[in-house]
Amino acid sequence: MTITAAHIPAIVALIAGILILVMPRLLNIVVAIYLICVGLIGLGALRFLHL
């Protein structure tokens, strides 16, 4: 299975959801990290990783 840029937001969302269920206090941090990752992917800032 090849991970493409289209798969990354879904993977990050899945991990974030699991972390929030396990540790609800992490909600603010998880949401912030998710938004930063999605923003960087949307801007193409992670293109150098060849994903």
Side-chain angles (χ1 to χ4, degrees):
M1 180 173 116
T2 304
I3 296 176
T4 63
H7 293 120
I8 293 175
I11 294 169
V12 172
L14 182 63
I15 293 170
I18 292 169
L19 285 174
I20 291 168
L21 283 174
V22 174
M23 302 176 79
R25 289 183 167 197
L26 288 178
L27 179 61
N28 291 338
I29 295 169
V30 170
V31 170
I33 291 171
Y34 174 77
L35 291 174
I36 290 169
C37 289
V38 170
L40 289 174
I41 291 167
L43 291 174
L46 299 179
R47 216 176 297 145
F48 68 91
L49 295 175
H50 304 291
L51 298 175

